[in-house]
Amino acid sequence: MNLARISTALAAALVMSCVSTEPPPLNSGMKDAAAQSAVEGTATYRERIALPPGAIFEAVLQDVTLADVKSTEVARTTVMRFSGPPIRFSIAFDPTKIDPAKNYSIRAGIRVDGKLWFTSDTAHPVLTRGAGSSVDILLERVDADLSAATGRASLMGGEMVYMADAARFTDCATGSSYPIAMEGDFIRMQQDYGRSASKPGTWVYVTFEGSIAERPRMEGSGVERNVVVSRFVRAWPNQNCERSRADVSLMNTYWRIVSLGGEPVGATGDKREPHLLLKSVHGKQAYAATVGCNQMSGGLTLTGEIIGFSPGVATLMACPPPLDAREKSLITALTTTKRWQIKGNTLELLDALDGQTALCEAVHL
């Protein structure tokens, strides 16, 4: 064999030695992702909230293989300066720490002065078991911390159940369900629930000012998100999430007055039930109200959540008890109201110190 043929044979053998006929190893996709040594993504939130200077975004790569064991941190990244959502991030990690048999997920949040304002509340798998190396995260607002920042909790509405010394709340707006912390105004909520529930274990619609905060689990270790009731408003046995999922319009709605200055009111004999009607006619805003005796009406000013009732005209009948006292309470409510808020079918009027002046329920005529 001459030298040329030997060289050709050696070259062919060398090429064949570099070709593998074995199938690719399992989890090769994971290895490709891990070889990048970084997980990338974006985070955003729905609320139109301008974050103050000093807001910090954090994203954490976690080992979440064992559901009943606290997640193990693999790597994290911090973004100190960002103009707003979407927030782009990249988490560098050591690929040798990634086990193809385990599960990994990304957790993210935004903190202001050490307090959590936004957080991810769903799993975002990465790297193994078919997951890739990029994620898009929708952050949820943590009302407890935003309430602390603004000085006011948010009005919440949903269905509550109490049984076996534990209470639970389902938010009609989001469908999310939380345990109710037995603190703040919980006792009043529990008492009103007891009066309103037809039997133990019945779901009852409630409204209250409150927030979501982490509290220790009632069973087991760790913490979980709880509803914290800062100010209970009322239980509504005739309402539910199906009827109260959308907020009723403030204007051109018949509002039945349920209480004035915290005192319950209702229809008396054959008199008209207490009610309030806010209307807009030919570009002018006005109101009409009664507790069942005299009819009052006047001008109305609205700027966002700020509201003002101007004195107008009224009939001058002599009102028998208890209508005489209720009419004085109505006049006081109208003259001291500065703000309004609606949740579902519930309208609450508040004074300058956020004290309740009147509570109303929408009636669909």
Side-chain angles (χ1 to χ4, degrees):
M1 183 179 293
N2 59 31
L3 183 60
R5 289 183 177 179
I6 294 175
S7 298
T8 301
L10 289 174
L14 180 61
V15 170
M16 291 301 294
S17 68
C18 294
V19 177
S20 174
T21 59
E22 296 180 1
L26 296 177
N27 298 296
S28 60
M30 182 282 299
K31 291 184 178 179
D32 290 342
Q36 298 177 22
S37 300
V39 173
E40 298 181 344
T42 63
T44 188
Y45 50 83
R46 298 188 186 93
E47 290 78 4
R48 297 181 178 179
I49 296 175
L51 296 174
I56 298 175
F57 170 83
E58 292 180 319
V60 183
L61 172 61
Q62 297 179 315
D63 178 349
V64 294
T65 306
L66 301 177
D68 57 347
V69 176
K70 184 178 179 181
S71 301
T72 302
E73 180 177 323
V74 178
R76 74 166 52 215
T77 189
T78 301
V79 182
M80 305 291 291
R81 295 182 180 87
F82 50 91
S83 58
I87 304 166
R88 303 186 182 281
F89 65 89
S90 178
I91 307 176
F93 63 90
D94 181 354
T96 62
K97 293 184 178 181
I98 303 301
D99 184 341
K102 292 187 175 182
N103 299 326
Y104 299 89
S105 183
I106 301 296
R107 177 178 58 82
I110 297 175
R111 294 182 180 273
V112 177
D113 296 329
K115 296 179 179 180
L116 188 66
W117 277 35
F118 291 89
T119 187
S120 56
D121 63 355
T122 58
H124 296 277
V126 291
L127 299 179
T128 61
R129 302 187 184 277
S133 59
S134 63
V135 290
D136 295 308
I137 299 175
L138 177 62
L139 301 175
E140 297 293 337
R141 191 175 77 173
V142 180
D143 291 326
D145 296 289
L146 287 183
S147 300
T150 61
R152 188 174 73 226
S154 60
L155 187 63
M156 305 180 74
E159 296 180 13
M160 168 194 177
V161 66
Y162 182 80
M163 58 189 304
D165 295 327
R168 196 161 190 90
F169 172 77
T170 299
D171 189 344
C172 289
T174 64
S176 299
S177 180
Y178 308 93
I180 304 174
M182 295 183 182
E183 59 184 84
D185 212 9
F186 172 77
I187 296 298
R188 276 212 312 137
M189 172 184 272
Q190 180 189 16
Q191 292 171 343
D192 204 18
Y193 170 87
R195 290 188 290 266
S196 303
S198 58
K199 59 182 180 180
T202 300
W203 289 89
V204 176
Y205 185 88
V206 293
T207 50
F208 58 92
E209 282 190 346
S211 53
I212 309 297
E214 290 186 344
R215 293 291 185 270
R217 294 181 181 273
M218 292 189 66
E219 296 181 1
S221 59
V223 297
E224 63 182 338
R225 301 179 79 190
N226 278 232
V227 163
V228 178
V229 181
S230 56
R231 183 177 67 86
F232 178 66
V233 176
R234 196 177 193 272
W236 307 85
N238 60 328
Q239 293 189 30
N240 55 39
C241 276
E242 191 62 31
R243 294 186 56 201
S244 308
R245 203 172 304 279
D247 293 342
V248 174
S249 171
L250 174 68
M251 303 299 293
N252 301 315
T253 295
Y254 181 96
W255 293 105
R256 178 192 293 126
I257 300 175
V258 176
S259 66
L260 292 167
E263 294 296 322
V265 299
T268 302
D270 59 352
K271 303 296 184 181
R272 293 195 64 184
E273 67 178 359
H275 69 271
L276 172 67
L277 179 61
L278 310 178
K279 49 191 175 180
S280 179
V281 181
H282 303 303
K284 294 185 178 180
Q285 296 167 330
Y287 72 90
T290 184
V291 292
C293 186
N294 287 298
Q295 183 77 18
M296 306 177 192
S297 60
L300 180 70
T301 57
L302 280 172
T303 305
E305 64 178 16
I306 306 303
I307 189 171
F309 297 90
S310 302
V313 297
T315 56
L316 299 174
M317 294 186 295
C319 301
L323 296 180
D324 54 349
R326 290 180 179 175
E327 193 160 279
K328 291 179 181 178
S329 296
L330 175 60
I331 294 172
T332 299
L334 293 175
T335 56
T336 58
T337 292
K338 302 297 181 184
R339 190 171 69 86
W340 64 274
Q341 57 182 6
I342 289 177
K343 177 58 68 174
N345 293 308
T346 303
L347 166 66
E348 192 175 27
L349 301 179
L350 305 165
D351 61 22
L353 299 177
D354 281 348
Q356 185 189 97
T357 59
L359 182 64
C360 307
E361 179 182 17
V363 177
H364 301 279
L365 301 176

